[in-house]
Structures are given as C-alpha cells and as structure tokens.
C-alpha cells in the first residue's frame, strides 16, 4: 500500500513539473502591419550572386526603372524581364505597382535575380497578406549560391591543367 501511495505522489509531482498547455501567440500576416514611408513606398534589399539591388515599390501603373533607365533597355533579354515579373505574376498584382531600383555588382543575370528578390521582399512589406504566396513560391529566400573560388595548382576552381605523360 505504501508503494502505491508513493507512486501516486510521484505522478502528481511530475504533472506539476510539466509545462501547462498555454496558447503561444504568433504573428500572422493579419497581425503584421504594412511598412511604408511618408511617400507610400516600401523599401527592400535583394541579393543574388555578387549583385545587390535596392528596390522601392509604390502603387502605380507598372512602370519599372533600373539605375534611372527603363527596364526594357537595361535588360535586353526577355528571360531577365520574365524573371523580374515573377513575384507580380505569382501574387496577381502585375501592373499595379511602380518599381524604382538601383543595382550594383555582378552580371546581368545576378542583377535580375537581385531585383526579383528585392521586389518580393518589398511586396511582402507593402502588403503582408501576400507573404504566404511569396514564401510558397520561394521568392523570399535568398539564393546563396556564389562562384567557387579558384584553387592553386588548378586552371579554374576545379579544372586541372592538361596532363602530359611525355
């Protein structure tokens, strides 16, 4: 009998030690507030490879400028333009926002990816209800792949010099 009573007391003591089930408050897109400056713009920084883009978006007609030039003249290839438009197409907001961006470093491909990343982050700040769509599309995640460094004794990062037996 004494052992049974001890076991019951141990169970009660263990239940007191266990954390009670409390409701943990999390911030959802409904609770998050849009972040805009006094001009009604949202700002974000996007990065890809060695390129870094500063992006401002605001309500407008869909006009896009990169480093003070029209986007069609800055990025001549249609694949880069398609890449930049992806966040707008995913959120069904194409033509609703004006985009002003400055980009530095890298090549055109990296710069287009950096602008896409910046647009996605700025859209998320402008309208937090779009967060789930942008996250599921993978637009808010920075692509961390960069060029591998050259190693000594090699022609490039992995390419060796041609071997000659004689």
């Amino acid at each position: 009998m004494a052992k049974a009573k001890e076991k019951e007391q141990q169970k009660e003591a263990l239940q007191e030690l266990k954390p009670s089930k409390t409701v943990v408050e999390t911030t959802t897109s409904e609770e998050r507030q849009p972040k805009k400056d006094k001009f009604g713009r949202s700002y974000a920084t996007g990065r890809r490879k060695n390129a870094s883009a500063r992006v401002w978006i605001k309500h407008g007609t869909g006009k896009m400028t990169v480093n003070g030039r029209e986007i069609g003249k800055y990025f001549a290839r249609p694949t880069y333009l398609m890449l930049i438009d992806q966040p707008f197409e995913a959120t069904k907001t194409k033509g609703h926002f004006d985009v002003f961006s400055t980009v530095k470093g890298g090549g055109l491909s990296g710069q287009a990816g950096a602008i896409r990343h910046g647009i996605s982050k700025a859209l998320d700040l402008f309208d937090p209800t779009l967060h789930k769509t942008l996250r599921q599309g993978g637009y808010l995640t920075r692509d961390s792949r960069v060029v591998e460094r050259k190693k000594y004794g090699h022609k490039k990062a992995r390419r060796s010099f041609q071997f000659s037996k004689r």
Side-chain angles (χ1 to χ4, degrees), residues 23-82:
V23 177
V24 178
E25 292 184 28
T26 57
T27 57
T28 60
S29 59
E30 291 80 34
E31 295 173 4
R32 287 178 43 217
Q33 297 297 319
K35 291 185 181 177
K36 300 176 191 174
D37 62 6
K38 62 183 178 182
F39 302 110
R41 302 175 303 187
S42 285
Y43 167 79
T45 305
R47 291 190 173 90
R48 169 83 163 84
K49 293 186 178 180
N50 284 330
S52 179
R54 298 168 22 179
V55 179
W56 291 266
I57 66 166
K58 66 175 186 174
H59 275 297
T61 59
K63 181 181 172 190
M64 298 173 107
T65 58
V66 178
N67 293 348
R69 291 164 51 187
E70 188 181 316
I71 196 161
K73 293 189 178 177
Y74 193 86
F75 294 109
R77 287 188 178 179
T79 52
Y80 297 147
L81 298 173
M82 181 190 70

